[in-house]
Amino acid sequence: RLLLHISEPSKVIKELKRVVKPSGRVILMDWDFGTLAIDHKDRNLTRKIFNWRTDYKDGNNWSGRQLYGRLKKEGFREITIKPFVSYVKDEKTSLTQSLFHAASGALENNIISKKEHDSWVGEIKEKLRENQFFASITYFLVKGLRPD
């Protein structure tokens, strides 16, 4: 999960193409925050928080879906794509913490109100206490051979 934090990922792909031997394999993996799923009763508020998080917080959160095109554009061959769904059911995972940070960020940026924030986070915490919490996100593993 590096390219999502890079302002010009095409430069990284070009550098990989330069340093990897001809027909050498490049493997990239990034998540796609647009694939995030959570069991929450307030769908509209969840969409509002997730859309803000995906579009404005912590880099290019659609990086995972763009890996194939980035390798293809640089001429990599025999590109394969494997999606991996990561799911969480407890509070200690980075994905769960990312949800709390998303809600806090949306509040700090006036995307949601304090009441909306507290309600949304409150339901997640309640589900965690009751062992009913579930969230998932898809990572994309993309492999390709460097052009000769």
Side-chain angles (χ1 to χ4, degrees):
R1 292 187 3 216
L2 171 70
L3 290 181
L4 72 99
H5 298 292
I6 305 286
S7 61
E8 296 184 59
S10 60
K11 289 183 177 180
V12 174
I13 304 297
K14 287 178 191 300
E15 184 65 6
L16 286 169
K17 183 177 167 182
R18 187 185 72 77
V19 299
V20 172
K21 69 180 181 177
S23 295
R25 186 172 312 276
V26 168
I27 302 172
L28 302 170
M29 185 173 86
D30 243 333
W31 72 358
D32 190 308
F33 209 88
T35 66
L36 183 62
I38 182 174
D39 180 20
H40 199 288
K41 68 181 177 192
D42 193 333
R43 293 178 181 192
N44 289 330
L45 182 56
T46 298
R47 286 185 194 107
K48 185 189 269 189
I49 293 168
F50 286 3
N51 286 343
W52 174 81
R53 167 66 171 85
T54 300
D55 292 346
Y56 299 105
K57 186 166 175 52
D58 296 333
N60 176 6
N61 290 293
W62 278 14
S63 181
R65 71 182 68 182
Q66 296 168 346
L67 295 175
Y68 172 81
R70 292 187 189 286
L71 288 183
K72 195 73 172 165
K73 183 177 180 181
E74 290 302 319
F76 283 81
R77 301 177 286 109
E78 298 180 35
I79 300 170
T80 61
I81 306 159
K82 289 191 178 182
F84 292 92
V85 176
S86 173
Y87 67 91
V88 297
K89 301 182 285 182
D90 62 70
E91 188 168 358
K92 296 178 182 169
T93 65
S94 62
L95 180 56
T96 306
Q97 292 305 308
S98 180
L99 296 172
F100 292 138
H101 292 300
S104 296
L107 174 62
E108 291 165 10
N109 286 276
N110 299 312
I111 305 303
I112 61 173
S113 69
K114 174 87 167 106
K115 182 179 177 183
E116 289 173 316
H117 171 274
D118 292 350
S119 172
W120 196 78
V121 169
E123 182 179 329
I124 292 173
K125 288 184 176 183
E126 181 179 333
K127 285 182 180 259
L128 285 163
R129 280 190 302 275
E130 296 173 354
N131 290 319
Q132 294 179 354
F133 176 74
F134 174 86
S136 67
I137 193 165
T138 303
Y139 290 80
F140 293 97
L141 180 78
V142 181
K143 297 189 277 188
L145 298 180
R146 182 195 181 273
D148 295 329

